[in-house]
Amino acid sequence: MAASTAEVKNRGWSVCTTAVSVWRSARVSRQVVKGVCVSGAGGGVCVPRVLLKTEAVLWQWAVWEAAQFTVLSKLRTPLGRAQDTFQTIEGIIRSLAAHSLNTEQELSQWSGGDTDDGHHSNQLRLALLLQFLENLEKLMYNAYEGCANALTAPPKGIRTFFYTNRQTCQDWLTRIRLALMRVGLLSGQPAVTVRHGLDLLTEIQNSSTLGPELEAL
């Protein structure tokens, strides 16, 4: 049964606000003259004070910390165990993608876009959700493949978990890419759609079996 408009909004916003919870729980470790050093799931970093007053920077940091928390907890989150986390995120993405295909429904009915504030809030939710998925994919790749110098390697136990479950993570990403492409268009981010489209084509080329959704392409 398709999710109702209210359920889509509530579930989508709950994933986005997970980032806010992580951000609020981040502990300020010490203060310096020209900046503030903060610690989070990925370790300590010094942030200039002026940036701490910038909402866009804070959202980026919060969403990154949420994705980092998801990886370091081996996908066990407030959404449930690893399988529950994947299924909940996938359900939200597919619900939003389904709304983007429903031409008979006005966008304002589910986005609250009647006003400028409603439209901005909706676009923020979509952008945070897409950015969270982007960060999660990077961090999962770093866990099971490693990275030369851009990202710090996670603890050995985390690397072992993701290396063992590498195929499951990759299959899940392949399964949701088409829906992510539609959500990217819905949020006005064509670059996201193009990136996932290119990755999807590569994965289709390298795969001997396709899911029912991909067979329709």
Side-chain angles (χ1 to χ4, degrees), residues 1-4 7-15 79 83-99 129 133 172 175-176 179-180 183:
M1 182 179 297
S4 67
E7 289 174 340
V8 173
K9 292 175 64 177
N10 291 336
R11 288 186 299 174
W13 191 237
S14 67
V15 172
L79 300 175
Q83 184 177 3
D84 299 325
T85 298
F86 273 169
Q87 288 179 346
T88 301
I89 296 175
E90 181 176 351
I92 294 167
I93 294 294
R94 291 189 181 279
S95 296
L96 291 171
H99 278 286
L129 185 60
L133 266 296
W172 177 72
R175 195 165 63 245
I176 66 173
L180 282 172
V183 176

Side-chain angles (χ1 to χ4, degrees), residues 11-195:
R11 288 186 299 174
W13 191 237
S14 67
V15 172
C16 294
T17 51
T18 299
V20 181
S21 299
V22 174
W23 166 45
R24 287 177 176 173
S25 64
R27 177 171 54 86
V28 176
S29 58
R30 62 188 178 89
Q31 292 187 352
V32 295
V33 176
K34 295 185 178 180
V36 176
C37 288
V38 296
S39 61
V45 60
C46 288
V47 182
R49 292 180 185 275
V50 65
L51 292 183
L52 293 178
K53 299 179 182 179
T54 306
E55 183 178 347
V57 174
L58 293 176
W59 275 121
Q60 289 286 338
W61 177 36
V63 174
W64 177 265
E65 285 297 320
Q68 185 88 285
F69 166 79
T70 303
V71 169
L72 293 179
S73 63
K74 300 179 182 178
L75 302 176
R76 292 191 296 268
T77 68
L79 300 175
R81 295 175 297 178
Q83 184 177 3
D84 299 325
T85 298
F86 273 169
Q87 288 179 346
T88 301
I89 296 175
E90 181 176 351
I92 294 167
I93 294 294
R94 291 189 181 279
S95 296
L96 291 171
H99 278 286
S100 72
L101 294 176
N102 188 353
T103 57
E104 297 180 356
Q105 182 181 27
E106 290 294 334
L107 196 60
S108 60
Q109 292 182 15
W110 67 272
S111 67
D114 297 356
T115 64
D116 290 341
D117 289 341
H119 179 72
H120 172 74
S121 177
N122 172 60
Q123 292 301 100
L124 177 61
R125 297 177 188 185
L126 294 177
L128 291 176
L129 185 60
L130 290 172
Q131 188 61 51
F132 172 78
L133 266 296
E134 183 85 12
N135 295 340
L136 182 62
E137 182 177 355
K138 289 179 182 178
L139 290 167
M140 288 196 302
Y141 182 89
N142 183 52
Y144 54 69
E145 284 285 358
C147 186
N149 56 15
L151 296 175
T152 304
K156 183 178 180 181
I158 305 300
R159 297 199 306 270
T160 301
F161 171 83
F162 279 96
Y163 184 81
T164 303
N165 296 280
R166 171 183 174 179
Q167 192 60 50
T168 300
C169 295
Q170 291 178 336
D171 290 345
W172 177 72
L173 289 170
T174 299
R175 195 165 63 245
I176 66 173
R177 286 205 194 279
L178 187 58
L180 282 172
M181 292 168 62
R182 291 167 179 159
V183 176
L185 291 177
L186 181 65
S187 66
Q189 300 187 57
V192 173
T193 298
V194 172
R195 203 275 289 180

